[in-house]
Short mmCIF file of all heavy atoms in Angstrom, two decimals:
data_model
loop_
_atom_site.label_atom_id
_atom_site.label_comp_id
_atom_site.label_asym_id
_atom_site.label_seq_id
_atom_site.Cartn_x
_atom_site.Cartn_y
_atom_site.Cartn_z
N LEU B 268 -6.68 0.95 -4.04
CA LEU B 268 -7.54 0.61 -2.91
C LEU B 268 -8.02 1.82 -2.13
O LEU B 268 -9.20 1.93 -1.82
CB LEU B 268 -6.80 -0.32 -1.95
CG LEU B 268 -6.06 -1.51 -2.54
CD1 LEU B 268 -5.45 -2.33 -1.44
CD2 LEU B 268 -6.98 -2.36 -3.36
N VAL B 269 -7.10 2.75 -1.79
CA VAL B 269 -7.43 3.75 -0.79
C VAL B 269 -8.53 4.68 -1.25
O VAL B 269 -9.39 5.08 -0.46
CB VAL B 269 -6.17 4.53 -0.40
CG1 VAL B 269 -6.48 5.63 0.56
CG2 VAL B 269 -5.17 3.61 0.21
N ILE B 270 -8.53 5.05 -2.54
CA ILE B 270 -9.59 5.96 -2.97
C ILE B 270 -10.88 5.23 -3.30
O ILE B 270 -11.90 5.87 -3.56
CB ILE B 270 -9.15 6.84 -4.17
CG1 ILE B 270 -8.57 5.98 -5.27
CG2 ILE B 270 -8.17 7.89 -3.73
CD1 ILE B 270 -8.16 6.76 -6.48
N LYS B 271 -10.86 3.87 -3.29
CA LYS B 271 -12.08 3.13 -3.61
C LYS B 271 -12.98 2.96 -2.39
O LYS B 271 -14.20 3.04 -2.50
CB LYS B 271 -11.73 1.75 -4.17
CG LYS B 271 -10.88 1.77 -5.40
CD LYS B 271 -11.56 2.54 -6.48
CE LYS B 271 -10.87 2.44 -7.80
NZ LYS B 271 -9.42 2.51 -7.77
N ALA B 272 -12.36 2.73 -1.22
CA ALA B 272 -13.17 2.42 -0.03
C ALA B 272 -14.12 3.56 0.32
O ALA B 272 -15.29 3.30 0.62
CB ALA B 272 -12.26 2.07 1.14
N PRO B 273 -13.70 4.86 0.29
CA PRO B 273 -14.68 5.92 0.58
C PRO B 273 -15.84 5.94 -0.40
O PRO B 273 -16.96 6.29 -0.01
CB PRO B 273 -13.85 7.21 0.47
CG PRO B 273 -12.47 6.80 0.68
CD PRO B 273 -12.35 5.43 0.14
N VAL B 274 -15.57 5.53 -1.64
CA VAL B 274 -16.66 5.52 -2.62
C VAL B 274 -17.68 4.45 -2.27
O VAL B 274 -18.89 4.68 -2.35
CB VAL B 274 -16.09 5.31 -4.04
CG1 VAL B 274 -17.21 5.27 -5.05
CG2 VAL B 274 -15.13 6.39 -4.38
N ILE B 275 -17.17 3.28 -1.84
CA ILE B 275 -18.09 2.22 -1.39
C ILE B 275 -18.92 2.74 -0.21
O ILE B 275 -20.13 2.52 -0.14
CB ILE B 275 -17.30 0.98 -0.96
CG1 ILE B 275 -16.36 0.52 -2.06
CG2 ILE B 275 -18.23 -0.12 -0.50
CD1 ILE B 275 -16.87 -0.53 -2.91
N PHE B 276 -18.23 3.43 0.70
CA PHE B 276 -18.93 3.98 1.87
C PHE B 276 -19.98 4.99 1.42
O PHE B 276 -21.08 5.02 1.96
CB PHE B 276 -17.90 4.62 2.81
CG PHE B 276 -18.43 4.90 4.18
CD1 PHE B 276 -18.89 3.88 4.98
CD2 PHE B 276 -18.47 6.18 4.68
CE1 PHE B 276 -19.38 4.12 6.24
CE2 PHE B 276 -18.95 6.44 5.94
CZ PHE B 276 -19.41 5.40 6.72
N LEU B 277 -19.65 5.80 0.41
CA LEU B 277 -20.61 6.79 -0.09
C LEU B 277 -21.83 6.09 -0.68
O LEU B 277 -22.97 6.50 -0.44
CB LEU B 277 -19.94 7.68 -1.14
CG LEU B 277 -20.79 8.82 -1.66
CD1 LEU B 277 -21.04 9.83 -0.57
CD2 LEU B 277 -20.13 9.50 -2.83
N ILE B 278 -21.59 5.01 -1.46
CA ILE B 278 -22.72 4.27 -2.03
C ILE B 278 -23.58 3.70 -0.91
O ILE B 278 -24.82 3.75 -0.96
CB ILE B 278 -22.22 3.15 -2.96
CG1 ILE B 278 -21.46 3.73 -4.14
CG2 ILE B 278 -23.38 2.31 -3.47
CD1 ILE B 278 -20.86 2.69 -5.03
N LYS B 279 -22.91 3.18 0.15
CA LYS B 279 -23.68 2.63 1.26
C LYS B 279 -24.49 3.72 1.94
O LYS B 279 -25.65 3.50 2.32
CB LYS B 279 -22.73 1.97 2.26
CG LYS B 279 -22.27 0.61 1.82
CD LYS B 279 -21.23 0.08 2.76
CE LYS B 279 -21.82 -0.91 3.71
NZ LYS B 279 -20.79 -1.76 4.32
N VAL B 280 -23.87 4.91 2.12
CA VAL B 280 -24.61 6.00 2.76
C VAL B 280 -25.81 6.38 1.91
O VAL B 280 -26.92 6.57 2.42
CB VAL B 280 -23.68 7.21 2.98
CG1 VAL B 280 -24.48 8.44 3.34
CG2 VAL B 280 -22.69 6.91 4.08
N PHE B 281 -25.61 6.46 0.60
CA PHE B 281 -26.72 6.85 -0.27
C PHE B 281 -27.86 5.85 -0.21
O PHE B 281 -29.01 6.23 -0.01
CB PHE B 281 -26.23 6.94 -1.72
CG PHE B 281 -25.62 8.27 -2.06
CD1 PHE B 281 -25.52 9.25 -1.12
CD2 PHE B 281 -25.15 8.51 -3.34
CE1 PHE B 281 -24.95 10.47 -1.43
CE2 PHE B 281 -24.58 9.73 -3.66
CZ PHE B 281 -24.49 10.70 -2.70
N TYR B 282 -27.54 4.54 -0.40
CA TYR B 282 -28.62 3.59 -0.63
C TYR B 282 -29.00 2.77 0.59
O TYR B 282 -30.08 2.20 0.62
CB TYR B 282 -28.26 2.68 -1.81
CG TYR B 282 -28.27 3.46 -3.09
CD1 TYR B 282 -27.11 3.78 -3.75
CD2 TYR B 282 -29.48 3.93 -3.60
CE1 TYR B 282 -27.13 4.53 -4.90
CE2 TYR B 282 -29.50 4.68 -4.75
CZ TYR B 282 -28.33 4.99 -5.39
OH TYR B 282 -28.36 5.74 -6.51
N ARG B 283 -28.11 2.68 1.62
CA ARG B 283 -28.50 1.93 2.81
C ARG B 283 -28.97 2.88 3.89
O ARG B 283 -29.89 2.56 4.64
CB ARG B 283 -27.33 1.10 3.34
CG ARG B 283 -26.68 0.22 2.33
CD ARG B 283 -27.07 -1.25 2.41
NE ARG B 283 -27.59 -1.66 3.69
CZ ARG B 283 -26.83 -2.11 4.68
NH1 ARG B 283 -25.56 -2.21 4.52
NH2 ARG B 283 -27.38 -2.48 5.79
N VAL B 284 -28.34 4.07 4.01
CA VAL B 284 -28.74 4.98 5.09
C VAL B 284 -29.94 5.81 4.66
O VAL B 284 -30.96 5.82 5.32
CB VAL B 284 -27.57 5.90 5.47
CG1 VAL B 284 -28.01 6.92 6.49
CG2 VAL B 284 -26.43 5.07 6.04
N TYR B 285 -29.80 6.50 3.51
CA TYR B 285 -30.91 7.37 3.10
C TYR B 285 -31.98 6.58 2.35
O TYR B 285 -33.16 6.79 2.54
CB TYR B 285 -30.41 8.50 2.22
CG TYR B 285 -29.58 9.50 2.97
CD1 TYR B 285 -28.21 9.45 2.92
CD2 TYR B 285 -30.18 10.47 3.74
CE1 TYR B 285 -27.44 10.35 3.62
CE2 TYR B 285 -29.43 11.37 4.46
CZ TYR B 285 -28.07 11.32 4.39
OH TYR B 285 -27.32 12.20 5.08
N GLY B 286 -31.56 5.70 1.46
CA GLY B 286 -32.53 4.95 0.70
C GLY B 286 -32.87 5.66 -0.60
O GLY B 286 -32.72 6.88 -0.74
N THR B 287 -33.33 4.89 -1.57
CA THR B 287 -33.57 5.40 -2.91
C THR B 287 -34.53 6.57 -2.93
O THR B 287 -34.31 7.58 -3.58
CB THR B 287 -34.16 4.29 -3.78
OG1 THR B 287 -33.52 3.08 -3.46
CG2 THR B 287 -33.99 4.61 -5.24
N GLN B 288 -35.60 6.43 -2.12
CA GLN B 288 -36.67 7.43 -2.16
C GLN B 288 -36.13 8.81 -1.78
O GLN B 288 -36.31 9.79 -2.52
CB GLN B 288 -37.77 6.98 -1.20
CG GLN B 288 -39.00 7.84 -1.23
CD GLN B 288 -39.79 7.61 0.05
OE1 GLN B 288 -39.59 6.64 0.77
NE2 GLN B 288 -40.70 8.53 0.32
N ILE B 289 -35.41 8.89 -0.66
CA ILE B 289 -34.92 10.18 -0.18
C ILE B 289 -33.85 10.72 -1.12
O ILE B 289 -33.84 11.91 -1.46
CB ILE B 289 -34.36 10.03 1.25
CG1 ILE B 289 -35.47 9.56 2.18
CG2 ILE B 289 -33.79 11.34 1.74
CD1 ILE B 289 -35.00 9.30 3.58
N ILE B 290 -32.96 9.84 -1.58
CA ILE B 290 -31.87 10.28 -2.44
C ILE B 290 -32.40 10.87 -3.74
O ILE B 290 -31.92 11.89 -4.24
CB ILE B 290 -30.91 9.10 -2.71
CG1 ILE B 290 -30.00 8.89 -1.53
CG2 ILE B 290 -30.09 9.32 -3.95
CD1 ILE B 290 -29.09 10.04 -1.27
N HIS B 291 -33.44 10.25 -4.29
CA HIS B 291 -33.95 10.75 -5.57
C HIS B 291 -34.72 12.06 -5.40
O HIS B 291 -34.91 12.78 -6.38
CB HIS B 291 -34.82 9.69 -6.25
CG HIS B 291 -34.00 8.67 -6.96
ND1 HIS B 291 -33.62 8.82 -8.28
CD2 HIS B 291 -33.44 7.52 -6.54
CE1 HIS B 291 -32.87 7.78 -8.62
NE2 HIS B 291 -32.76 6.97 -7.59
N GLU B 292 -35.18 12.36 -4.17
CA GLU B 292 -35.85 13.64 -3.96
C GLU B 292 -34.86 14.80 -3.91
O GLU B 292 -35.20 15.93 -4.20
CB GLU B 292 -36.64 13.60 -2.65
CG GLU B 292 -38.01 12.97 -2.81
CD GLU B 292 -38.69 12.80 -1.48
OE1 GLU B 292 -38.28 13.46 -0.51
OE2 GLU B 292 -39.64 12.01 -1.43
N THR B 293 -33.61 14.54 -3.51
CA THR B 293 -32.63 15.62 -3.41
C THR B 293 -31.91 15.80 -4.76
O THR B 293 -32.07 15.00 -5.67
CB THR B 293 -31.58 15.30 -2.33
OG1 THR B 293 -30.94 14.09 -2.70
CG2 THR B 293 -32.21 15.14 -0.99
N VAL B 294 -31.12 16.88 -4.82
CA VAL B 294 -30.41 17.15 -6.07
C VAL B 294 -29.04 16.48 -6.10
O VAL B 294 -28.29 16.66 -7.04
CB VAL B 294 -30.21 18.67 -6.28
CG1 VAL B 294 -31.52 19.34 -6.51
CG2 VAL B 294 -29.48 19.27 -5.11
N ILE B 295 -28.75 15.70 -5.06
CA ILE B 295 -27.36 15.30 -4.88
C ILE B 295 -26.85 14.44 -6.03
O ILE B 295 -25.69 14.56 -6.46
CB ILE B 295 -27.20 14.58 -3.52
CG1 ILE B 295 -25.74 14.52 -3.13
CG2 ILE B 295 -27.76 13.18 -3.53
CD1 ILE B 295 -25.19 15.83 -2.75
N LEU B 296 -27.74 13.56 -6.58
CA LEU B 296 -27.25 12.68 -7.64
C LEU B 296 -26.84 13.47 -8.87
O LEU B 296 -25.85 13.15 -9.53
CB LEU B 296 -28.31 11.65 -7.99
CG LEU B 296 -28.48 10.54 -6.96
CD1 LEU B 296 -29.57 9.58 -7.38
CD2 LEU B 296 -27.20 9.80 -6.73
N ASP B 297 -27.60 14.54 -9.16
CA ASP B 297 -27.22 15.37 -10.31
C ASP B 297 -25.86 16.03 -10.09
O ASP B 297 -25.05 16.13 -11.01
CB ASP B 297 -28.28 16.44 -10.57
CG ASP B 297 -29.58 15.81 -11.01
OD1 ASP B 297 -29.51 14.74 -11.64
OD2 ASP B 297 -30.64 16.37 -10.70
N LEU B 298 -25.63 16.47 -8.84
CA LEU B 298 -24.34 17.08 -8.54
C LEU B 298 -23.21 16.07 -8.72
O LEU B 298 -22.18 16.38 -9.32
CB LEU B 298 -24.33 17.61 -7.10
CG LEU B 298 -25.14 18.86 -6.84
CD1 LEU B 298 -25.10 19.20 -5.37
CD2 LEU B 298 -24.56 20.01 -7.65
N VAL B 299 -23.43 14.86 -8.19
CA VAL B 299 -22.39 13.82 -8.32
C VAL B 299 -22.13 13.52 -9.79
O VAL B 299 -20.98 13.39 -10.22
CB VAL B 299 -22.81 12.55 -7.55
CG1 VAL B 299 -21.84 11.43 -7.82
CG2 VAL B 299 -22.85 12.82 -6.07
N LEU B 300 -23.22 13.46 -10.56
CA LEU B 300 -23.07 13.21 -12.00
C LEU B 300 -22.25 14.30 -12.66
O LEU B 300 -21.33 14.03 -13.44
CB LEU B 300 -24.46 13.13 -12.63
CG LEU B 300 -24.52 12.83 -14.12
CD1 LEU B 300 -24.11 11.42 -14.38
CD2 LEU B 300 -25.91 13.07 -14.66
N MET B 301 -22.55 15.56 -12.30
CA MET B 301 -21.84 16.68 -12.91
C MET B 301 -20.35 16.64 -12.57
O MET B 301 -19.49 16.77 -13.43
CB MET B 301 -22.46 17.98 -12.42
CG MET B 301 -22.07 19.19 -13.19
SD MET B 301 -22.87 20.62 -12.47
CE MET B 301 -21.80 20.98 -11.12
N PHE B 302 -20.06 16.40 -11.27
CA PHE B 302 -18.65 16.33 -10.88
C PHE B 302 -17.97 15.15 -11.54
O PHE B 302 -16.79 15.23 -11.90
CB PHE B 302 -18.52 16.24 -9.35
CG PHE B 302 -18.87 17.51 -8.66
CD1 PHE B 302 -19.61 17.50 -7.50
CD2 PHE B 302 -18.47 18.72 -9.17
CE1 PHE B 302 -19.94 18.66 -6.85
CE2 PHE B 302 -18.80 19.91 -8.53
CZ PHE B 302 -19.54 19.87 -7.37
N GLY B 303 -18.72 14.05 -11.71
CA GLY B 303 -18.14 12.90 -12.38
C GLY B 303 -17.74 13.23 -13.81
O GLY B 303 -16.64 12.92 -14.26
N VAL B 304 -18.67 13.90 -14.54
CA VAL B 304 -18.38 14.27 -15.93
C VAL B 304 -17.17 15.22 -15.99
O VAL B 304 -16.26 15.04 -16.80
CB VAL B 304 -19.62 14.93 -16.57
CG1 VAL B 304 -19.25 15.57 -17.90
CG2 VAL B 304 -20.70 13.92 -16.76
#
Side-chain angles (χ1 to χ4, degrees):
Chain B
L268 313 182
V269 176
I270 51 178
K271 302 302 188 319
V274 179
I275 306 264
F276 195 60
L277 185 67
I278 297 176
K279 281 174 101 161
V280 167
F281 275 1
Y282 291 108
R283 307 258 338 271
V284 175
Y285 291 99
T287 321
Q288 186 199 343
I289 299 177
I290 281 296
H291 279 271
E292 276 173 18
T293 59
V294 293
I295 197 70
L296 286 179
D297 294 329
L298 287 176
V299 173
L300 182 70
M301 194 180 81
F302 289 138
V304 169

